[in-house]
Amino acid sequence: MQAAYTSLHLADWSQTRYIAKHPEQFHETCPALGAHPSTKSVDLWFGATLAGHYLLADLLPNKASWPVFGEVNPRKIFQCVTIGIEAGCVANNYSIGVGFDF
């Protein structure tokens, strides 16, 4: 699951670099980056969030008991949610014409 997330994260990173290089055409919607980030700030953000995602996923347990849901896998839930978010970002960017740039 981490490989799937990483692939989508790299695609989003590439698209966000494209947005940064075409400020007259696109704007970024991530509040942490601002509307027109530099490629350096994009690289720092995506590098840090990729490392953070890996570390957090590694720290989450595979099993936990929650009163309402019973036996769950917090790591799997985290991975599925973040994969879905990244897939949505990449698909949205692609649908509005954002290219890929590394």
Side-chain angles (χ1 to χ4, degrees):
M1 292 188 85
Q2 186 64 34
Y5 173 82
T6 299
S7 297
L8 288 164
H9 190 81
L10 291 173
D12 189 14
W13 187 345
S14 177
Q15 288 176 321
T16 305
R17 286 178 57 88
Y18 186 91
I19 290 169
K21 291 181 179 180
H22 297 87
E24 71 289 342
Q25 201 174 359
F26 301 104
H27 68 276
E28 178 56 40
T29 58
C30 174
L33 289 172
H36 300 290
S38 68
T39 54
K40 181 179 180 179
S41 62
V42 169
D43 292 344
L44 289 171
W45 172 259
F46 276 88
T49 55
L50 181 58
H53 186 278
Y54 174 82
L55 291 172
L56 183 54
D58 192 50
L59 289 172
L60 288 170
N62 285 324
K63 286 185 181 179
S65 265
W66 291 355
V68 177
F69 302 109
E71 194 75 24
V72 295
N73 184 333
R75 182 181 298 166
K76 191 173 198 174
I77 293 168
F78 174 70
Q79 294 283 26
C80 288
V81 168
T82 56
I83 286 169
I85 291 168
E86 282 291 3
C89 291
V90 171
N92 179 68
N93 286 343
Y94 182 78
S95 75
I96 61 172
V98 175
F100 297 91
D101 186 315
F102 259 117

